[in-house]
């Protein structure tokens, strides 16, 4: 369970009309009826921008394309399928739900020319919705959880610089503590009934960075235990980064009860006495939780108090991008020439051009980063485009019972109520 808020770039109809319809995408299927329906879980702003993109492409290609947002997508789409009311295409916010319904879907090799799409995507995105070796889903939009947000004004006041390596990050942490300037990290993990998910993101990042996509996938599937040396080593990195003395205001016990959206200390200027912290690693959606005054500055194009850098990889690791997104699939019995055209469009880098102003990030390394609406979004987009590998949020891919225990046991670990060995045993028992 991860939260998201997103911030309309302009794309011409003529550009939409020139999207290449290569390979089998526009051939080898029954003639369409001029209409294509799509269901998904986008919120109001994203749904509006997505529909505008679809309408422009549809108008340029003689297709009426309708997007409908379902309030509880994973549950609602099953009801639609059972009632025989499934759309032509649907967008899942989690790959697990898509894969569970693969029997109702079409392998995408029978819909689009996969090779150029896979070449365009950041590595890792094309393997998220594979079933029995067949690709059933590919991404339309993404969000990033590997960025560290900071206040440039606060950094400048102390002479600090954004780190580009793990060694520089460690040196910065030590300098902040030695200067008694505040705390290196803002890191609350409280989130009501979902308390603990913010901890899981930290662990997921380091598993991805240290061991790459193959072991990351093994961990998600349960082949690699939480108690394994690999996951234990990643947990120890999180422990050193966040739970060591002076790293977070109040330590792990406070971190377990501090709301993940409490971003005010990042913009404090009163030092330790005011709980000032200097860095916040969170999803790109966290800007929606910044204080109103900071959000107003950002809306006006003033980024004097907000910037971000990618979290450096541990020594010997690879800086992967952790995140989430929405993956689209095509329903069996719904493939015609119009559906093929629309599917190829939504799997292209073009589809995100109107959505990036809401904070959406493109999963394509070929996306024109100049289209991002500001320097912050551009930096996040560049991090995605340049990523050597991508990891979809691991806990969101795990069985629900495992995910729930990951939150609970992880919170106890952070609060000092359980060792990692104890927490890992609890989570492994749920597989």
């Amino acid at each position: 369970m991860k939260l998201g808020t997103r911030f309309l770039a302009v794309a011409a109809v003529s550009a939409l009309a020139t999207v290449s319809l290569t390979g089998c995408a526009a051939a080898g299927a029954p003639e369409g009826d001029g209409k294509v329906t799509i269901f998904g879980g986008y919120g109001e702003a994203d749904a509006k921008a997505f529909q505008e993109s679809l309408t422009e492409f549809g108008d340029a290609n003689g297709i009426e394309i309708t997007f409908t947002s379902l309030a509880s997508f994973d549950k609602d789409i099953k009801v639609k399928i059972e009632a025989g009311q499934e759309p032509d295409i649907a967008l899942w916010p989690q790959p697990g739900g898509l894969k569970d319904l693969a029997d109702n879907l079409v392998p995408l090799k029978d819909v689009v020319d996969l090779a150029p799409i896979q070449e365009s995507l950041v590595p890792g995105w094309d393997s998220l919705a594979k079933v029995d070796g067949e690709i059933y889903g590919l991404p339309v939009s993404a969000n990033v959880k590997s960025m560290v947000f900071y206040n440039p004004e606060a950094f400048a006041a102390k002479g600090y610089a954004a780190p580009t390596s793990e060694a520089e990050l460690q040196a910065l942490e030590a300098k902040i503590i030695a200067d008694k300037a505040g705390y290196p990290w803002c890191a609350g993990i409280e989130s009501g009934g979902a308390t603990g998910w913010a901890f899981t993101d930290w662990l997921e990042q380091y598993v991805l960075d240290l061991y790459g996509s193959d072991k990351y996938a093994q961990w998600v599937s349960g082949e690699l235990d939480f108690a394994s040396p690999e996951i234990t080593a990643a947990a120890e990195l999180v422990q050193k980064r966040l739970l060591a003395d002076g790293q977070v205001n109040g330590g792990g016990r406070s971190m377990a009860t501090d709301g993940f959206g409490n971003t005010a200390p990042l913009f404090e200027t009163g030092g330790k006495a005011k709980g000032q912290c200097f860095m916040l690693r969170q999803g790109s959606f966290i800007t929606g939780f910044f204080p109103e005054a900071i959000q107003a500055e950002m809306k006006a194009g003033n980024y004097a108090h907000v910037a971000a850098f990618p979290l450096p990889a541990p020594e010997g690791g690879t800086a992967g991008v952790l995140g989430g997104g929405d993956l689209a699939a095509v329903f069996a019995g719904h493939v015609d020439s119009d559906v093929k055209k629309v599917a190829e469009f939504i799997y292209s880098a073009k589809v995100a051009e109107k959505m990036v102003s809401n904070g959406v990030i493109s999963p394509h390394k070929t996306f024109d980063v100049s289209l991002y609406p500001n320097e912050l979004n551009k930096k996040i987009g560049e991090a995605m485009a340049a990523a050597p590998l991508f990891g979809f949020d691991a806990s969101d891919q795990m069985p629900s019972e495992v995910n729930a225990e990951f939150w609970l046991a992880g919170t106890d670990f952070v609060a000092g109520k359980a060792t990692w060995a104890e927490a890992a045993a609890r989570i492994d028992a749920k597989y």
Side-chain angles (χ1 to χ4, degrees):
M1 179 270 188
K2 300 298 156 72
L3 306 179
T5 60
R6 300 171 178 150
F7 297 106
L8 275 189
V10 177
V13 174
S14 59
L16 293 170
T18 59
V19 172
S20 174
L21 301 174
T22 59
C24 65
E31 184 177 349
D33 61 1
K35 297 182 179 181
V36 173
T37 57
I38 305 177
F39 291 173
Y42 284 146
E44 185 176 349
D46 289 340
K48 180 181 178 182
F50 185 47
Q51 181 64 71
E52 288 181 355
S53 291
L54 296 173
T55 298
E56 289 194 0
F57 178 79
D59 287 348
N61 288 274
I63 307 169
E64 181 184 337
I65 313 170
T66 304
F67 175 73
T68 300
S69 187
L70 304 179
S72 301
F73 178 81
D74 284 310
K75 177 182 177 181
D76 292 346
I77 193 65
K78 292 177 182 178
V79 173
K80 295 291 186 182
I81 292 170
E82 290 170 3
Q85 299 173 349
E86 73 277 5
D88 299 310
I89 299 171
L91 278 63
W92 276 260
Q94 297 175 6
L98 188 160
K99 292 191 289 186
D100 287 345
L101 295 171
D103 287 347
N104 299 278
L105 307 172
V106 182
L108 290 183
K109 69 179 183 182
D110 298 332
V111 182
V112 295
D113 186 358
L114 285 173
I117 300 173
Q118 290 176 283
E119 177 62 27
S120 171
L121 289 168
V122 172
W125 274 107
D126 63 341
S127 60
L128 292 172
K130 272 188 176 180
V131 178
D132 296 330
E134 297 281 7
I135 296 174
Y136 282 85
L138 287 171
V140 176
S141 59
N143 58 69
V144 173
K145 300 178 180 179
S146 300
M147 304 300 292
V148 178
F149 294 87
Y150 68 100
N151 181 346
E153 190 173 87
F155 265 47
K158 295 293 182 181
Y160 302 153
T164 60
S165 68
E166 172 66 16
E168 289 181 4
L169 179 56
Q170 290 182 17
L172 176 58
E173 291 171 323
K175 187 77 166 66
I176 292 169
I177 292 173
D179 290 347
K180 298 181 180 180
Y183 302 90
W185 293 99
C186 323
I189 66 167
E190 189 277 329
S191 184
T195 294
W197 68 257
F199 161 75
T200 72
D201 280 359
W202 272 100
L203 186 61
E204 290 158 5
Q205 182 70 60
Y206 284 139
V207 172
L208 182 66
D209 287 357
L210 287 171
Y211 307 112
S213 56
D214 288 345
K215 290 215 171 192
Y216 187 83
Q218 291 171 13
W219 178 44
V220 169
S221 69
E223 296 173 62
L224 186 63
D225 290 343
F226 277 76
S228 68
E230 292 92 339
I231 310 305
T232 297
E236 288 172 350
L237 275 174
V238 179
Q239 187 170 32
K240 181 179 179 181
R241 175 119 289 144
L242 300 180
L243 305 183
D245 288 347
Q247 293 290 103
V248 173
N249 188 8
R253 191 177 297 274
S254 177
M255 187 174 152
T257 59
D258 187 21
F260 78 93
N262 179 20
T263 62
L266 187 65
F267 306 101
E268 271 290 352
T269 58
K272 293 186 75 171
K274 293 290 187 178
Q276 182 178 0
C277 52
F278 283 82
M279 294 178 285
L280 170 65
R281 189 223 54 80
Q282 254 298 354
S284 50
F285 53 76
I286 198 63
T287 55
F289 293 85
F290 286 172
E292 289 184 5
I294 301 298
Q295 291 195 54
E297 287 182 358
M298 293 169 61
K299 189 174 182 179
N302 178 0
Y303 283 81
H305 298 105
V306 181
F309 59 86
L311 181 69
E315 190 169 344
T318 300
V321 166
L322 179 74
D326 294 84
L327 285 79
V330 179
F331 279 90
H334 290 256
V335 181
D336 61 28
S337 59
D338 293 334
V339 170
K340 283 176 173 279
K341 289 178 184 178
V342 173
E344 183 160 278
F345 171 62
I346 66 173
Y347 292 141
S348 76
K350 280 282 182 184
V351 73
E353 290 182 0
K354 282 188 173 295
M355 300 175 73
V356 293
S357 61
N358 298 330
V360 163
I361 300 300
S362 173
H364 293 268
K365 57 190 178 185
T366 57
F367 186 79
D368 182 355
V369 296
S370 70
L371 296 175
Y372 287 108
N374 54 63
E375 285 303 310
L376 180 62
N377 291 57
K378 182 179 178 181
K379 183 159 289 195
I380 296 170
E382 287 173 337
M384 172 66 83
L389 72 157
F390 173 81
F392 197 99
D393 186 285
S395 58
D396 276 356
Q397 298 187 71
M398 293 173 179
S400 57
E401 288 188 0
V402 177
N403 189 15
E405 191 60 42
F406 193 0
W407 292 345
L408 291 169
T411 299
D412 285 347
F413 170 65
V414 167
K417 297 179 180 178
T419 64
W420 179 250
E422 292 167 340
R426 285 167 51 184
I427 305 168
D428 286 332
K430 296 297 181 180
Y431 270 104

